[in-house]
């Protein structure tokens, strides 16, 4: 990897906050989520339901927008994604459907097959990694054996107000029945203490900051993202100088985006076993092994800022780092060799920051809106059989060039690159049955430490490619005829 | 027979059903209503018993009050044999007639009276009740009336979507489950997915408790476990989209299973799913494997490519496009000569696909076509009496209504000899169109060796007497029906008649006369179990006692499977002397449709692995 000129800073353009679904620009930090996967039985009834969510109907909770007042903080938020099948079932004209990108139209299960099919010329290509236990015929949502999903309605609630969720759950279920919507499945999430995920890391620290977004801006050596990297239409400009809406009419495109809804199982026991085994074998501290695999200490502190031992870094500064000098930080420590933060570590593979790996710098950013599911693992109980993981959206303006690229290339491709050759991402990557490889470089004369029994730590349990329309687009959908 | 006046009285009462008169949204008024309410003495329910319970509730539900049975089961319909097991919980308030009201109507019906002396308002005749039932949902399995989970390790899912309750009720806060693994009851959040190792158990009982204290309800579900190895996992899976037919494209999938020693498709055998489609890869592998067909072919180095459909009930011309797409995918990978065939309807789809390709001068490279109990020629047969029963009385149970939808589906109309519609039995216009379309493109592939097998015997022996009673539903004052096979001599015969207070509105008892020159029910051929299935559903309803002296009847006559013009009750001629097939075989007895006997599998394996010199593609 090498560093070049950073992406130019982005001019903040005014955003039509009232037209943008709230979960795109803002992490709600409401610690409970229930995602309702729905299938319509009648186009008109489905459209009527969607319309009621954006009509000010007092009898139903309304879609939360980026303009929804945050003081006092709402006790519940609601957002809606639609699959390509759902849009077609609602009566979106064929010509409009044809303007959506092929990845979205094909859907997650088909893309897993299309990109994960073993290529005789490249047998190590596993595409998005949705193979084996992660293959779509094993999923519980969106897979080849699962019922079709049209809508994904996400209700976020404050666990401090449990009756609020009960009340809204009953209201929504009654509305589903009233509008002929089949509840295909529900997917609950409950945040763990301190914003951690089941592997023990504080999560969600390096979210892109979209220029023009109101609210507090954190210190970040990465430039702001352009609104066009995530929002379609409405003259938003993406990092390539264009707009991901392409031929999609403004009526449906403006202020919408794509959300890849994933259910990712985390094998906590395998992870802890790996940490203990590696630490004992190589004389390392368990927490240092965990930090090397991720690129941050489990507290969230970046290894680049604290290479030898965890230290307390104020939360607003947890993104104030890069892996090499760059514009504005020309004298910064150069960790090009990955001595502090392994080149193959999770956060470095998935977000090389100032490093140019492929294409334009900072062009593969995604917004993560996942929350843990399953109860916190209690080591005293041992293996309890309960599935744990992360469920939620990965939001981006271009599924193929952002989400799919990250999964198929940065997570699962074996680069002929110094430091990562013969490896996949240690957290999300598909590992060979005999174990994957991960290299920890040292800053002394010792040979690099090589972990060669990396187990597969995560499994895809479900996936949907959704469109998260703007509020105006939801009204347009509700008003379709036929 | 129930007096029309009494049926009219019941009809008038039912017409009063509304959210005001049935506040729960579920009025259980016909058949057995004493279902468990969530007490400690409720019996555990097998997966099938839970489905039957839920079907009883759906039958009494106001529109939209409960999800349809088919919708609830859809989540496992295409799942693999060892897939995640959803636990379904039905927890509903209901209304039901008071016992004295039921007794009064029974007395009136038994006495043939035209009126029952009860109050005129529905609300005055019913009382509140509650039903609580827990069940494990399993995918259907080939040849199994009762499904089992395959494997000792079970992953259960407690999905809030499977908590089926009255409209407007939220998920209960407290949920606790004892999986019968010796670890006792565990309180779990909704959405939990949990894996339990049940060791050598062949059946486990799962106890689910919902709610707290005195208001808690408890239900138990049984889960049978099979410790056999599940069908193999496909080596590769393709998504398939056919060319549009009448503006709409069929879609489906293919799964590949490489033969021994093959690293890629080398000697492909394409086998296509039959009606109604939508089965899992595991189901189809088990079905097609029968007594080892696929395993033996793979051991001999053949690669199996199973093709399935997303909507197998759709027009066959449309799904034939999916088969063309499958052959296109195959040809993108190998140019090796292929075998292509289909089970039941699948055989027609392959015929149509290959002819379409030949007509378009597309190379398909199929050297051998294999038809497995496919309804060629004079088509398939479903007892018109069964069809009549489903059409006239099927509304008494949602499972029968689903059956009725399959009978009326486009594909079924296309391959069915007699389609009962609007009280008459006739050839569907869709069948006439399909046969014309197929003939127009050549009928059979011109460049392939044509092989066929029948699941019926070939000696022409009838399986029952013409005009035999196949189902008799008696024992209740509220319903009765008699279904018979076709007569032999071409005399119009009332082959079905009956009435049920549950669907009566004062109309006279319905019946179906039909004339044919053949008692197809008795024709040798692959057999269907439809009469037995109807009887099984009636038994679940708990109104009277259905008896089925002949639960099986002909589904695909041997003469259809071999596309022969002759008398269905005459021995079939020697292979190669009549009909379009170069070679064929029959079964020693009439077997269930698509249930291959070992000798037939031997026959297929011999012909596909070592065809006689004069039948080789290059001969």
């Amino acid at each position: 990897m090498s560093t070049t000129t950073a992406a130019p800073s982005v001019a903040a353009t005014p955003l039509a906050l009232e037209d943008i679904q709230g979960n795109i620009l803002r992490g709600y930090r409401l610690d409970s989520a229930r995602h309702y996967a729905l299938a319509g039985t009648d186009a008109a009834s489905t459209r009527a339901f969607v319309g009621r969510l954006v009509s000010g109907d007092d009898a139903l909770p309304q879609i939360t927008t980026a303009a929804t007042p945050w003081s006092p903080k709402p006790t519940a938020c609601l957002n809606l994604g639609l699959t390509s099948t759902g849009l077609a079932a609602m009566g979106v004209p064929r010509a409009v459907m044809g303007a959506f990108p092929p990845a979205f139209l094909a859907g997650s299960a088909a893309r897993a097959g299309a990109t994960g099919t073993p290529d005789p010329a490249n047998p190590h290509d596993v595409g998005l990694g949705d193979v084996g236990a992660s293959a779509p015929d094993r999923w519980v949502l969106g897979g080849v054996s699962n019922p079709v999903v049209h809508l994904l309605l996400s209700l976020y609630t404050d666990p401090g107000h449990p009756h609020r969720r009960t009340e809204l759950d009953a209201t929504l279920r009654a509305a589903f029945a009233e509008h002929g919507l089949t509840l295909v499945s529900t997917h609950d999430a409950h945040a763990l203490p301190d914003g951690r995920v089941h592997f023990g890391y504080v999560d969600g620290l390096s979210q892109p900051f979209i220029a023009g977004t109101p609210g507090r801006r954190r210190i970040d050596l990465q430039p702001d993202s352009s609104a066009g990297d995530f929002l379609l239409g409405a003259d938003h400009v993406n990092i390539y100088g264009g707009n991901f809406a392409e031929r999609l009419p403004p009526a449906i495109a403006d202020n919408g985006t794509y959300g890849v809804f994933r259910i990712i199982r985390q094998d906590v026991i395998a992870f802890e076993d790996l940490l203990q085994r590696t630490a004992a074998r190589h004389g390392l501290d368990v927490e240092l092994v965990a930090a090397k695999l991720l690129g941050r200490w489990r507290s969230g502190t970046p290894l680049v800022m604290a290479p030898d031992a965890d230290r307390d870094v104020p939360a607003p500064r947890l993104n104030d780092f890069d892996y090499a000098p760059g514009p504005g930080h020309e004298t910064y420590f150069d960790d090009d060799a990955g001595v502090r933060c392994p080149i193959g570590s999770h956060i470095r593979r998935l977000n090389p920051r100032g490093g140019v790996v492929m294409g334009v710098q900072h062009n593969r950013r995604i917004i993560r809106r996942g929350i843990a599911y399953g109860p916190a693992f209690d080591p005293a109980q041992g293996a309890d059989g309960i599935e744990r993981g992360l469920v939620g959206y990965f939001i981006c303006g271009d599924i193929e060039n952002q989400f799919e690229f990250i999964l198929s290339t940065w997570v699962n491709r074996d680069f002929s690159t110094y430091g990562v050759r013969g490896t996949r991402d240690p957290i999300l990557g598909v590992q060979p049955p005999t174990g994957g490889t991960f290299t920890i470089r040292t800053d002394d004369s010792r040979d690099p430490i090589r972990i060669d029994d990396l187990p597969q730590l995560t499994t895809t349990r479900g996936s949907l490619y959704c469109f998260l329309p703007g509020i105006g687009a939801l009204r347009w959908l509700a008003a379709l005829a036929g | 027979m129930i007096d029309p006046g009494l049926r009219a009285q019941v009809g008038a009462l039912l017409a009063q059903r509304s959210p005001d008169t049935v506040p729960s949204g579920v009025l259980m008024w016909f058949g057995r209503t004493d279902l468990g309410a969530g007490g400690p003495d409720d019996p555990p329910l097998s997966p099938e018993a839970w489905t039957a319970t839920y079907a009883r509730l759906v039958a009494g539900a106001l529109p939209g009050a409960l999800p349809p049975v088919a919708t609830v089961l859809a989540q496992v319909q295409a799942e693999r044999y060892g897939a995640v097991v959803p636990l379904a919980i039905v927890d509903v308030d209901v209304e039901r007639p008071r016992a004295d009201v039921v007794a009064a109507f029974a007395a009136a019906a038994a006495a043939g009276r035209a009126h029952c002396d009860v109050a005129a308002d529905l609300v005055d005749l019913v009382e509140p009740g509650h039903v609580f039932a827990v069940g494990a949902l399993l995918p259907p399995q080939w040849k199994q009336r009762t499904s089992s989970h395959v494997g000792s390790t079970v992953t259960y899912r407690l999905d809030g979507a499977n908590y089926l309750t009255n409209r407007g009720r939220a998920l209960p806060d407290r949920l606790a489950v004892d999986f019968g693994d010796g670890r006792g009851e565990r309180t779990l959040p909704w959405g939990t997915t949990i894996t339990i190792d049940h060791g050598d158990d062949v059946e486990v009982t799962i106890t689910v408790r919902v709610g707290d204290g005195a208001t808690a309800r408890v239900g138990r579900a049984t889960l049978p476990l099979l410790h056999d190895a599940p069908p193999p996992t496909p080596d590769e899976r393709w998504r398939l989209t056919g060319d549009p037919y009448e503006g709409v494209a069929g879609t489906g999938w293919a799964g590949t299973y490489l033969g021994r020693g093959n690293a890629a498709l080398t000697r492909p055998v394409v086998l296509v799913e039959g009606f109604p489609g939508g089965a899992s890869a595991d189901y189809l592998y088990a079905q097609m494997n029968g007594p080892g067909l696929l395993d033996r072919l793979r051991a001999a180095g053949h690669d199996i490519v199973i093709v399935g459909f997303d909507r197998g009930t759709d027009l066959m011309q449309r799904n034939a496009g999916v088969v063309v797409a499958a052959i296109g995918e195959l040809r993108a990978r190998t140019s090796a000569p292929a075998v292509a065939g289909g089970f039941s309807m699948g055989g027609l789809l392959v015929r149509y696909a290959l002819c379409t390709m030949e007509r378009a001068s597309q190379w398909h490279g199929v050297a051998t076509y294999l038809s497995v109990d496919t309804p060629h020629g004079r088509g398939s047969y479903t007892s018109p009496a069964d069809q009549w029963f489903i059409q006239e009385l099927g509304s008494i149970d949602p499972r029968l209504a689903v059956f009725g939808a399959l009978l009326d589906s486009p594909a079924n109309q296309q391959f069915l000899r007699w389609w009962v519609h609007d009280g008459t039995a006739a050839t569907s216009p869709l069948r006439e169109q399909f046969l014309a379309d197929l003939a127009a493109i050549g009928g059979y592939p011109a460049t392939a060796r044509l092989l066929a097998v029948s699941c019926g015997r070939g000696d022409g022996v009838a399986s029952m007497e013409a005009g035999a009673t196949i189902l008799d539903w008696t024992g209740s004052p509220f319903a009765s029906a008699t279904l018979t096979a076709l007569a032999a001599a071409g005399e119009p015969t009332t082959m079905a008649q009956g009435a049920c207070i549950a669907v009566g509105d004062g109309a006279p008892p319905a019946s179906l006369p039909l004339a044919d020159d053949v008692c197809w029910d008795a024709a040798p051929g692959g057999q269907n179990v439809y009469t037995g299935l109807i009887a099984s559903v009636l038994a679940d309803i708990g109104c009277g006692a259905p008896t089925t002296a002949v639960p099986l009847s002909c589904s695909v006559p041997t003469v259809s499977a071999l596309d022969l013009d002759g008398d269905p009750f005459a021995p079939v001629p020697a292979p190669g002397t009549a009909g379009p097939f170069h070679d064929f075989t029959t079964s020693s007895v009439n077997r269930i449709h698509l249930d291959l006997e070992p000798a037939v599998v031997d026959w297929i394996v011999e012909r596909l692995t070592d065809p006689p010199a004069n039948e080789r593609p290059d001969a």
Side-chain angles (χ1 to χ4, degrees):
Chain A
M1 295 182 200
S2 63
T3 56
T4 63
T5 305
S9 58
V10 176
T13 53
L15 298 176
L17 300 176
E18 71 287 350
D19 195 43
I20 301 169
Q21 292 207 48
N23 57 341
I24 300 169
L25 300 185
R26 187 198 297 273
Y28 294 145
R29 302 216 173 266
L30 293 169
D31 286 347
S32 287
R34 176 165 292 161
H35 305 278
Y36 301 90
L38 300 160
T41 54
D42 174 75
S45 293
T46 305
R47 291 195 298 262
F49 173 75
V50 170
R52 288 182 65 194
L53 297 175
V54 287
S55 65
D57 186 334
D58 291 339
L60 273 187
Q62 298 293 292
I63 297 295
T64 304
T65 75
T68 299
W70 215 248
S71 179
K73 186 175 177 177
T75 54
C77 293
L78 190 72
N79 292 106
L80 179 66
L82 300 98
T83 64
S84 60
T85 315
L87 289 169
M90 286 177 71
V92 173
R94 194 171 292 182
V96 175
M97 290 302 301
F100 278 103
F104 171 69
L105 290 175
S108 207
R111 294 292 288 182
T115 58
T117 301
D119 176 359
N122 185 6
H124 299 297
D125 182 6
V126 294
L128 302 178
D130 291 333
V131 297
S134 293
D137 63 353
R138 306 286 182 90
W139 293 355
V140 296
L141 176 72
V144 296
S145 306
N146 306 132
V148 166
V149 173
H150 292 154
L151 311 178
L152 187 71
L153 191 66
S154 300
L155 175 65
Y156 304 89
T157 52
D158 181 348
H161 297 78
H163 297 300
R164 179 75 172 137
R165 185 169 84 161
T166 301
E167 170 200 344
L168 291 173
D169 183 70
T171 301
L172 289 171
R173 282 168 179 267
F176 301 157
E178 183 181 344
H179 291 277
L181 292 164
T182 297
L183 182 54
V184 172
S185 55
T186 60
H187 304 274
D188 285 15
H190 302 280
L192 300 177
D194 305 325
R196 292 176 189 257
V197 295
H198 287 291
F199 287 161
Y201 300 104
V202 174
D203 190 34
L205 295 172
S206 54
Q207 303 282 14
F209 185 86
I210 298 174
T213 305
R216 192 177 48 188
R217 192 189 182 296
R218 296 187 174 196
I219 300 166
D220 195 335
L221 278 188
Q222 301 172 103
D224 293 351
S225 292
S226 162
D229 288 350
F230 299 97
L231 296 173
L232 276 57
D235 299 325
H236 300 306
V237 178
N238 65 25
I239 199 166
Y240 303 104
N243 189 289
F244 289 132
E246 298 188 348
R247 295 182 296 115
L248 210 54
I252 190 167
D254 278 359
N255 293 313
T257 188
Y258 298 99
V260 177
F261 185 79
R262 300 282 275 191
I263 306 172
I264 302 169
R265 180 169 61 199
Q266 296 174 304
D267 189 338
V268 181
I269 293 175
F271 181 68
E272 293 299 331
D273 284 350
L274 170 70
L275 298 184
Q276 298 291 341
R277 191 170 65 234
T278 304
R281 186 174 298 161
H282 300 287
L284 300 172
D285 181 76
V286 165
E287 289 305 314
L288 180 61
V289 177
K292 291 289 186 183
L293 291 171
L294 190 84
R296 291 182 187 267
W297 296 89
R298 293 210 257 200
S299 65
T301 302
L303 269 175
V304 168
M305 299 171 77
D308 301 318
D310 194 8
R311 68 180 174 87
D312 193 17
V313 173
R317 302 194 69 89
L318 287 172
N319 278 303
D320 187 18
F321 72 96
D322 202 342
Y323 302 114
H329 52 284
E330 290 80 359
T331 59
Y332 201 79
F333 177 82
D334 190 343
D335 193 31
D336 184 57
V339 172
R340 289 187 175 184
C341 180
I343 297 169
S345 66
H346 177 68
I347 66 165
R348 192 161 178 174
R349 281 188 77 119
L350 272 63
N351 182 9
R353 294 184 175 245
V356 171
V357 179
M358 288 186 185
V360 182
Q361 281 175 312
H362 307 292
N363 64 335
R364 312 288 187 186
R365 306 296 304 277
I366 52 175
I367 298 168
R368 294 170 293 135
R369 296 286 182 241
I371 300 179
Y373 72 89
F377 178 66
D378 178 1
Q381 292 291 320
D384 58 8
I386 296 178
E387 187 175 310
R388 299 173 165 81
L390 203 60
V391 58
Y393 277 116
F394 294 87
I395 295 171
C396 55
D398 184 325
I399 291 175
E400 184 171 3
N401 282 303
Q402 291 173 298
F403 174 80
E404 288 189 347
F405 178 91
I406 289 172
L407 264 289
S408 62
T409 304
W410 284 352
V411 168
N412 280 309
R413 186 162 297 169
D414 171 9
F415 295 108
S416 297
T417 301
Y418 164 75
V420 291
R421 185 176 299 124
T423 73
R424 295 191 176 120
D425 180 70
I427 305 295
L428 293 177
V430 176
Q431 307 300 348
T434 53
T437 300
F438 185 80
T439 302
I440 301 173
R441 298 187 67 82
T442 62
D443 57 358
D444 53 30
S445 58
R446 286 184 297 163
D447 287 339
I449 295 168
R450 183 181 163 93
I451 303 172
D452 56 9
D453 57 355
L454 203 63
Q456 178 131 359
L457 296 172
T458 54
T459 309
T460 307
R461 300 291 287 139
S463 184
L464 291 174
Y465 284 177
C466 294
F467 181 57
L468 310 178
I471 305 304
L474 288 171
R475 293 193 178 113
W476 179 83
L477 286 167
L480 287 172
Chain B
M1 189 57 73
I2 307 153
D3 188 276
L6 192 66
R7 282 205 307 279
Q9 184 183 3
V10 170
L13 286 170
L14 294 180
Q16 298 176 30
R17 286 179 292 188
S18 74
D20 292 330
T21 58
V22 186
S24 71
V26 182
L27 176 63
M28 295 189 66
W29 70 278
F30 181 70
R32 187 165 50 234
T33 61
D34 58 341
L35 306 178
D41 298 329
D42 292 347
L45 299 179
S46 68
E48 290 73 24
W50 184 87
T51 301
T53 299
Y54 186 60
R56 299 284 302 116
L57 293 165
V58 172
L62 300 187
L66 289 172
V69 175
T71 299
V72 174
L73 298 181
Q75 62 190 296
V76 294
Q77 183 67 33
E79 282 288 8
R80 306 195 63 197
Y81 282 11
V84 170
V85 176
L87 292 179
I89 302 166
V90 60
D91 185 6
V92 293
D93 292 330
V94 300
E95 276 80 34
R96 52 190 164 206
R98 297 193 313 269
D100 61 301
V101 173
V102 175
F105 270 99
R113 293 203 299 271
H115 184 78
C116 177
D117 190 17
V118 295
D121 291 335
L122 179 64
V123 292
D124 296 328
L125 306 180
V126 299
E127 61 185 7
H130 194 87
V131 175
F132 186 88
V134 178
L137 303 183
L138 293 174
Q141 291 170 348
W142 169 243
K143 279 185 73 175
Q144 304 298 319
R145 285 289 294 275
T146 57
S147 291
S148 300
H149 178 81
V150 176
S152 57
T153 300
V154 185
T155 297
Y156 298 93
R157 180 160 168 75
L158 295 156
D159 193 319
N162 291 320
Y163 178 71
L164 305 163
T165 189
N166 305 95
R167 183 181 292 190
R169 281 176 58 184
L171 285 179
D173 290 335
R174 183 173 162 78
L175 171 70
V177 185
D178 181 344
F179 293 96
D181 60 347
R183 294 182 63 165
E185 185 177 271
R186 296 176 236 207
T187 299
L188 298 168
W190 290 102
T192 295
T193 302
I194 182 168
T195 301
I196 305 290
D197 186 350
H198 289 296
D200 298 330
D201 291 345
V202 295
E203 182 175 278
V204 293
T205 300
I206 304 120
T207 305
V208 174
R209 180 188 304 273
V210 168
D212 275 321
T215 61
R217 297 189 186 273
V218 179
R220 287 178 294 159
T222 60
L223 178 68
L225 301 174
L226 272 180
H227 298 280
D228 302 342
T233 300
D235 293 295
E236 198 179 349
R237 198 168 163 116
W238 312 332
R239 280 299 304 168
L240 303 170
T241 302
D243 284 341
Y245 176 78
E246 295 183 344
V248 179
T251 56
W253 57 272
T256 67
Y257 303 81
L258 296 178
R260 179 184 290 170
N262 296 344
L265 291 167
T266 307
R267 300 176 66 193
V269 177
V270 179
L271 295 173
V272 176
E273 175 181 30
F275 185 81
S280 70
D282 280 6
Y283 182 99
L284 292 178
Y285 192 97
Q287 178 190 63
M288 294 174 177
N289 196 32
L293 174 62
L294 303 193
D295 293 342
R296 289 174 61 184
L297 289 174
R298 293 176 69 201
H302 290 278
D303 313 298
I304 306 300
V305 181
I306 293 178
V307 177
F309 303 99
D310 295 335
R311 292 179 300 278
T313 56
D314 206 346
L315 290 170
M316 286 199 281
Q317 293 95 325
R318 190 165 289 142
N319 277 326
V322 178
V323 179
V324 172
I327 293 172
E329 289 287 338
L330 176 72
R331 288 301 165 227
R333 290 163 173 79
T334 176
S335 58
V339 176
F343 279 55
S344 190
M345 177 186 75
L348 287 170
L349 298 178
V350 176
R351 262 177 78 184
Y352 201 99
L354 297 180
C355 289
T356 300
M357 296 181 79
E358 291 178 0
R359 198 74 170 179
S361 300
Q362 287 178 277
W363 177 73
H364 54 64
V366 172
T368 300
Y369 165 77
L370 174 66
S371 163
V372 180
D373 220 24
T374 292
H376 304 287
R378 282 169 278 183
S380 73
Y381 181 78
T382 297
S383 159
D386 286 345
Q387 293 188 60
W388 172 89
F389 187 93
I390 297 298
Q391 196 170 77
E392 295 293 327
L393 306 180
S395 60
I396 59 176
D397 188 282
R399 290 169 292 174
L400 296 182
V402 169
F403 192 5
L406 292 177
L407 290 172
D408 286 341
S409 67
N412 192 61
Q413 290 185 47
Q414 288 184 306
F415 58 70
L416 192 60
R417 175 176 180 76
W418 292 119
W419 175 52
V420 174
H421 183 65
D422 285 342
T424 61
T427 300
S428 165
L430 292 178
R431 174 167 174 77
E432 292 171 350
Q433 182 63 51
F434 174 77
L435 293 177
D437 287 353
L438 182 58
I441 56 175
Y444 278 91
T447 59
R449 179 174 58 136
L450 305 179
L451 304 178
V453 301
S454 169
C455 291
R457 55 201 297 169
D459 56 7
V461 173
S463 64
M464 69 175 85
E465 287 185 19
T469 297
I470 57 175
L471 185 143
D472 203 11
W473 188 23
T474 59
S476 165
F478 297 131
S480 65
T482 303
L483 307 182
T484 60
L486 286 170
E491 291 293 322
T493 304
T494 298
M495 57 183 307
Q497 60 182 352
C500 175
I501 202 167
V503 294
D505 59 358
S511 62
L512 177 73
L514 177 72
D516 196 347
D517 56 351
V518 172
C519 175
W520 290 101
D521 304 73
Q527 305 287 294
N528 69 49
V529 298
Y530 300 152
T531 309
L533 287 176
I534 292 170
S536 167
V537 170
L538 297 181
D540 288 341
I541 292 173
C543 178
T547 55
T548 51
V550 189
L552 304 179
S553 66
C554 180
S555 185
V556 177
T558 302
V559 289
S560 284
L562 307 182
D563 206 351
L564 299 170
D565 291 333
D567 180 357
F569 296 102
V572 299
T577 63
F581 291 99
H582 299 116
D583 199 357
F584 60 70
T585 192
T586 58
S587 302
S588 60
V589 296
N590 293 324
R591 299 176 69 87
I592 299 292
H593 179 48
L594 301 182
D595 181 21
L596 300 178
E597 69 180 21
V600 169
V601 168
D602 291 344
W603 185 92
I604 295 173
V605 171
E606 284 171 14
R607 274 152 186 77
L608 298 190
T609 58
D610 186 21
N614 64 343
E615 289 186 2
R616 287 180 186 145
D618 54 356

